[in-house]
Amino acid sequence: MKEENLFQNNTKRSLNYFMQTKNWWAPLLFILIISLAGVGMIGFQTYNDAPPMTGFQTSSGENLITRTTLEDGQIVFHKYALMEYGSYFGDGAQRGPDYTAEALHQVVLFMAEFRVNEFERENGRTPSDMELKIIKENVKDEIKDNKYDEEKNIVILSDAQTFALKGLREYYTNVFIDSNTEDSFPPPGYITDRDEVKALSDFFFWGAWVCGVKRPGSEFSYTHNWPFDPDAGNNPTSPVILWSVLGLLAFVLACGVVLYFIGQYNQLPNKFFKQGTSGFLTFKQINNFTPTKTQRASFKFFFVAIILFLIQVLSGVVTLNEFVDFLGFAGINISAEVPITITRSWHLMLSLYWISTCWIASSIFIIPIMTKKEMKSQLPLINLLFVLLFILVGGSLLGMVLGPLGLLGDWWYLLGHQGWEFVDFGKIYQGLLMVIFVLWAVVVYRGVRPAFIKKQPWNLPNWIMYSVLGIPVLFLSGFVAQPETNFVIADFWRWMVIHMWVEAFFEVFVTVIVSYLMVLMGLVSRQAAIRVVYIATLLFLGTGLLGISHNFYWNAKPVATMALGSVFSTLQFVPLILLTVEAWRFKNMPRMSINGLNGKNGDKQDIADFAFPEVFLFLIAMNFWNFFGAGVLGIIVNLPIMNFFEHGTYLTINHAHAALMGVYGNISLAAMLFASKILLRPGRWNRNIVRTSFWSINAGLMLMVVLDLFPAGAIQFKSVLDHGLWYARSNDFITSSAFESLTWMRGIGASIFLFGGVIPLTWFIVSRARSLKKGRDSYVGFKRRKTNVSKPKVIPLEKENVD
């Protein structure tokens, strides 16, 4: 018993140690150093171990493919935005084929055809069933045999592979030029240059070679035998199984440790969600609040954001029409004029645009409240930021149309469509976005600078500054790769942009915004919010930075990268367990705030006075989707053995929709509505519209997951197990009755989402543009209610009593 009490006391002392801000630097620096070292190792391996983009020759020395041809084919792939219809190494859109899986299987078929014909010529008869099996096994060995000559920097192809290359060129010429129709993709005229298609076919052949041939010194391919295709000899490898087991073991151990410390933490007097001492904001307080001019200026960002949200959803509807052609019943045929590559590009990029615009606007709105001051000359910078955002969105969306249609010529890369999923805009617009991020950082710094306190680096204004500065720093990685850069290396830098934004600094930024919204609403104390941000930062950076490696399982990285991904990608679920444990407390915060305050004095506050019940609904939904969408639906695809079969299927889309809209969409709408409710004149708020929109958006999203995305992904997953990824992504499977029926079912959720949620909310925000309060040059603040409770002292965290 004494030993148990001693252990518990030591645990509490350890927790108290982490509650003291003076001790916060060491854990944070440790995590950053370890994580950045791990990411640096992945980067080194990417450059050092990437499969060579090199030439291919026949055994007699005839040049079949040159390095320049491969680069030209990769450029064609990006120029026509084919990653927004199909995928490469499983990355990209998942309605069309995965071109590496398809090309690999076609190579297998052509090589088998060549060997069968060879057998018939030599033996004067067709092979028996047993002989046919032997031929197929020999083809597998032939595919695995790596004949790369490092000194000459050339790959020697066998006669059967040479025959397969020629067959593959003819196959894709039919797909893109000779046999396509208005009802297929690509539509007629999408690509007309046969030399471009030939180069594209050679690029697909290289991808198939990378997936099939053994990595030097290994018994499996550069992609660990992904994609699954038994006919090509691609089956799960021993490292895939081993690191799946070890990753699951690390996850279970981490869960046990975290749950234990949660139990110990709950015995401490200072909890993360310690209630505020001045009560929550009431309707009277926000109605009497007069915003500053910069706060009023934030509304135009929200105004544009909600319109972009509507356009994003509508472009998703048009994309969905490509699959089931429901507009065809009304005689509307837009697929030939607006290919799916364009509509899907809009759907993806607009999601980033409107969410990012909301976050920029929310930071602009809360800065004067943080600092209790309106900075001079801030408004012109904010207006300039708005103009630059307007140019970025309008120009890049136009470029995403003109580029894939071939209307920009050689300017397609700079002004059109880069061809990378989630990095679709032209390079010039990418540079403009960098300028916007820097200007945003300047605006935030000028705004929060008065709130900086010497020797207190962990205050909420500091946290906002840290996260805002981290975003442009990470965005620099998006400028490294060029159109001709080895696809494996270029994809590394793409994921550095996409994943690091989501899993690292955007997570921190969102946590800061949510925490400060809770402080502003009077639901938690400032000290509690800062602790939440710190702990969340440790967890998100500790698991998220190295968690990037799970995106690199199959795009030609060595085993060490898989090992990191298997462990840290599963550990990404651990922070979400913490959210789940605190979910009930979070849900009941308004009532807890009342009880905590009314228990200390006689001045009562009723729950009906709480001014933000609708906003709080979106925060609760964000908490739910963080657990279910990002966590549950994410962890089922993170283990290598699961991901080996799942990668490139609808289960990925299922996770992406639930996480992106469920988490980032809800918090963005919460920030928009929080600011709007304060900015609007009394009487212009409509609780019924907002509540209806909330339930329609989240119920519609859940129905899309339950009725289509998850069951479609499960069916497709089974198809991969039965036949291989090439079949599960083939047109025969995608257009099958079961898969198409589920796509129609998605329309139920999409209709509720659009007509019950997005359209009413858009109308509400847009129609209130003329109902804003007048802005003033100085900050006044909220008039807090008078209570018998003395005004709390703002003291440094390290001086709080935490024993």
Side-chain angles (χ1 to χ4, degrees):
M1 181 65 69
K2 290 182 179 180
E3 292 179 354
E4 182 179 348
N5 291 335
L6 180 63
F7 179 73
Q8 291 179 347
N9 290 334
N10 289 335
T11 301
K12 289 180 180 179
R13 280 196 292 270
S14 298
L15 288 171
N16 282 330
Y17 172 87
F18 283 107
M19 299 291 276
Q20 300 288 345
T21 58
K22 63 182 180 181
N23 302 321
W24 283 5
W25 280 113
L28 185 60
L29 289 175
F30 175 77
I31 284 175
L32 283 174
I33 291 171
I34 295 298
S35 298
L36 292 176
V39 173
M41 183 202 74
I42 296 172
F44 173 79
Q45 289 183 331
T46 297
Y47 277 86
N48 193 58
D49 299 320
M53 282 190 81
T54 184
F56 290 77
Q57 290 182 350
T58 64
S59 56
S60 61
E62 178 188 353
N63 285 326
L64 297 170
I65 302 174
T66 66
R67 178 185 177 88
T68 302
T69 304
L70 288 181
E71 292 174 352
D72 290 344
Q74 180 172 298
I75 288 173
V76 172
F77 179 75
H78 291 312
K79 178 181 178 181
Y80 293 101
L82 295 179
M83 206 176 192
E84 295 296 357
Y85 175 68
S87 59
Y88 201 84
F89 294 134
D91 290 334
Q94 281 141 33
R95 191 73 185 196
D98 178 82
Y99 292 109
T100 44
E102 181 182 58
L104 176 62
H105 194 72
Q106 289 298 320
V107 166
V108 170
L109 296 180
F110 283 125
M111 288 179 66
E113 179 185 347
F114 178 87
R115 293 305 180 192
V116 168
N117 291 338
E118 184 182 54
F119 180 92
E120 290 175 348
R121 286 196 306 269
E122 293 176 354
N123 298 277
R125 62 178 177 84
T126 58
S128 64
D129 290 344
M130 181 58 67
E131 289 167 333
L132 189 60
K133 289 180 180 178
I134 294 173
I135 289 174
K136 290 182 178 180
E137 290 299 318
N138 289 337
V139 167
K140 293 178 186 178
D141 294 338
E142 197 171 354
I143 287 174
K144 295 298 177 190
D145 187 16
N146 192 341
K147 294 183 178 180
Y148 173 63
D149 189 328
E150 189 172 359
E151 291 184 4
K152 296 181 180 179
N153 192 29
I154 203 77
V155 176
I156 306 300
L157 296 183
S158 67
D159 292 342
Q161 289 172 315
T162 302
F163 177 81
L165 172 60
K166 295 176 180 178
L168 197 66
R169 289 170 177 171
E170 183 178 350
Y171 174 83
Y172 281 115
T173 300
N174 287 330
V175 169
F176 285 96
I177 296 180
D178 292 336
S179 300
N180 52 349
T181 64
E182 291 185 358
D183 296 330
S184 66
F185 182 88
Y190 191 74
I191 303 178
T192 58
D193 191 325
R194 292 180 180 273
D195 288 335
E196 285 187 332
V197 174
K198 178 184 175 184
L200 181 65
S201 303
D202 292 350
F203 176 60
F204 291 162
F205 181 85
W206 176 80
W209 177 80
V210 170
C211 292
V213 73
K214 288 182 181 179
R215 179 188 287 273
S218 299
E219 292 301 314
F220 42 80
S221 74
Y222 286 97
T223 59
H224 305 281
N225 285 356
W226 185 92
F228 177 60
D229 188 345
D231 292 336
N234 273 18
N235 295 290
T237 66
S238 56
V240 169
I241 299 173
L242 172 64
W243 284 106
S244 297
V245 174
L246 295 180
L248 186 60
L249 175 64
F251 170 69
V252 174
L253 287 174
C255 288
V257 171
V258 166
L259 292 175
Y260 171 78
F261 276 100
I262 287 175
Q264 296 300 314
Y265 162 76
N266 283 333
Q267 299 180 36
L268 295 177
N270 282 338
K271 306 295 190 293
F272 285 162
F273 292 130
K274 181 180 178 181
Q275 290 79 32
T277 56
S278 58
F280 51 61
L281 284 176
T282 64
F283 290 101
K284 184 177 180 181
Q285 289 169 324
I286 64 170
N287 287 340
N288 293 334
F289 177 81
T290 301
T292 66
K293 288 185 177 179
T294 59
Q295 287 180 310
R296 193 177 192 274
S298 69
F299 188 83
K300 61 174 170 278
F301 290 84
F302 291 125
F303 181 94
V304 171
I306 197 67
I307 293 176
L308 295 181
F309 182 30
L310 174 62
I311 299 174
Q312 185 237 337
V313 175
L314 290 175
S315 63
V317 171
V318 177
T319 302
L320 189 65
N321 176 71
E322 178 75 22
F323 310 147
V324 292
D325 193 25
F326 56 85
L327 292 177
F329 291 102
I332 302 174
N333 183 15
I334 63 174
S335 298
E337 303 298 330
V338 187
I340 186 176
T341 49
I342 294 174
T343 59
R344 188 174 187 272
S345 299
W346 276 36
H347 185 60
L348 292 184
M349 292 304 294
L350 280 169
S351 67
L352 301 183
Y353 285 159
W354 81 263
I355 289 173
S356 298
T357 301
C358 282
W359 292 354
I360 291 173
S362 63
S363 64
I364 292 171
F365 179 82
I366 67 176
I367 283 172
I369 304 177
M370 269 188 169
T371 60
K372 306 294 187 288
K373 186 177 181 180
E374 176 81 337
M375 294 297 295
K376 293 182 180 179
S377 304
Q378 189 84 318
L379 187 59
L381 292 177
I382 292 172
N383 289 334
L384 175 60
L385 187 62
F386 179 79
V387 171
L388 293 179
L389 274 170
F390 195 86
I391 294 173
L392 167 70
V393 174
S396 64
L397 291 179
L398 179 62
M400 289 177 217
V401 175
L402 300 179
L405 294 180
L407 300 177
L408 292 177
D410 293 336
W411 290 86
W412 68 270
Y413 181 68
L414 293 176
L415 295 175
H417 197 304
Q418 286 191 54
W420 288 102
E421 185 188 38
F422 284 112
V423 190
D424 299 89
F425 45 22
K427 204 70 173 182
I428 287 179
Y429 296 111
Q430 186 176 346
L432 178 58
L433 182 57
M434 185 68 186
V435 172
I436 289 170
F437 282 146
V438 172
L439 180 58
W440 179 32
V442 171
V443 169
V444 172
Y445 174 73
R446 293 183 79 255
V448 301
R449 184 174 56 183
F452 292 157
I453 302 174
K454 248 185 181 181
K455 297 182 180 180
Q456 292 194 32
W458 307 110
N459 283 326
L460 287 174
N462 299 66
W463 278 112
I464 284 187
M465 197 68 246
Y466 300 153
S467 58
V468 169
L469 283 175
I471 291 170
V473 169
L474 279 175
F475 195 60
L476 286 172
S477 58
F479 294 90
V480 177
Q482 299 300 315
E484 66 276 5
T485 302
N486 185 313
F487 189 94
V488 172
I489 296 174
D491 204 33
F492 167 79
W493 291 110
R494 180 181 76 101
W495 279 112
M496 284 290 291
V497 174
I498 300 170
H499 180 95
M500 293 303 190
W501 277 12
V502 174
E503 306 294 346
F505 289 94
F506 271 177
E507 288 279 15
V508 175
F509 181 80
V510 167
T511 305
V512 174
I513 293 297
V514 171
S515 299
Y516 198 67
L517 287 179
M518 305 300 287
V519 173
L520 291 181
M521 286 188 278
L523 302 179
V524 298
S525 68
R526 177 186 65 91
Q527 292 87 354
I530 293 172
R531 288 198 185 98
V532 169
V533 172
Y534 176 73
I535 296 298
T537 300
L538 287 182
L539 293 171
F540 284 129
L541 293 184
T543 61
L545 289 176
L546 285 176
I548 190 176
S549 48
H550 79 263
N551 298 297
F552 300 142
Y553 284 157
W554 321 122
N555 66 350
K557 301 291 190 297
V559 172
T561 300
M562 180 192 296
L564 286 174
S566 65
V567 173
F568 285 93
S569 63
T570 50
L571 291 183
Q572 286 177 284
F573 190 58
V574 173
L576 306 180
I577 292 177
L578 288 175
L579 292 176
T580 307
V581 171
E582 294 291 346
W584 183 253
R585 193 195 313 247
F586 186 93
K587 177 179 179 295
N588 289 280
M589 272 186 188
R591 196 169 298 280
M592 290 168 61
S593 178
I594 294 175
N595 295 338
L597 187 65
N598 291 345
K600 295 180 179 180
N601 62 87
D603 190 7
K604 298 291 184 180
Q605 197 174 27
D606 192 87
I607 190 67
D609 295 329
F610 182 48
F612 301 98
E614 299 83 28
V615 175
F616 197 69
L617 282 176
F618 285 92
L619 295 180
I620 293 175
M622 179 213 68
N623 220 359
F624 167 78
W625 286 107
N626 222 343
F627 170 76
F628 180 69
V632 174
L633 300 181
I635 197 171
I636 64 173
V637 302
N638 274 355
L639 287 173
I641 188 61
M642 177 67 179
N643 198 270
F644 183 86
F645 298 102
E646 172 278 333
H647 185 55
T649 71
Y650 259 44
L651 288 179
T652 301
I653 300 176
N654 179 52
H655 163 59
H657 275 76
L660 184 61
M661 180 58 223
V663 179
Y664 296 112
N666 272 301
I667 179 56
S668 300
L669 294 176
M672 176 189 295
L673 293 168
F674 176 84
S676 298
K677 191 161 192 177
I678 295 175
L679 291 171
L680 293 178
R681 294 197 301 266
R684 294 298 290 155
W685 184 260
N686 192 314
R687 172 179 292 187
N688 291 332
I689 289 180
V690 176
R691 288 181 69 90
T692 300
S693 296
F694 164 79
W695 287 111
S696 296
I697 287 172
N698 285 279
L701 179 60
M702 179 59 77
L703 286 174
M704 283 190 277
V705 168
V706 173
L707 296 181
D708 175 33
L709 296 176
F710 182 77
I715 293 173
Q716 198 171 30
F717 180 80
K718 182 180 183 301
S719 180
V720 174
L721 293 172
D722 291 340
H723 305 286
L725 181 64
W726 69 272
Y727 177 77
R729 291 284 299 276
S730 68
N731 189 63
D732 289 341
F733 178 81
I734 295 297
T735 57
S736 64
S737 58
F739 210 78
E740 280 202 347
S741 296
L742 290 173
T743 304
W744 278 102
M745 294 291 286
R746 195 199 312 184
I748 298 174
S751 298
I752 295 174
F753 188 94
L754 174 62
F755 295 107
V758 180
I759 291 178
L761 193 60
T762 302
W763 176 84
F764 172 72
I765 296 295
V766 170
S767 64
R768 267 54 177 178
R770 297 182 180 274
S771 302
L772 302 180
K773 299 173 183 175
K774 291 184 178 180
R776 56 184 299 156
D777 294 323
S778 59
Y779 178 78
V780 176
F782 298 98
K783 296 179 180 179
R784 293 280 182 175
R785 70 192 183 96
K786 296 180 180 180
T787 70
N788 296 329
V789 182
S790 59
K791 185 178 180 180
K793 295 180 180 180
V794 178
I795 57 176
L797 281 176
E798 58 267 18
K799 293 185 179 180
E800 274 193 297
N801 176 23
V802 295
D803 297 321

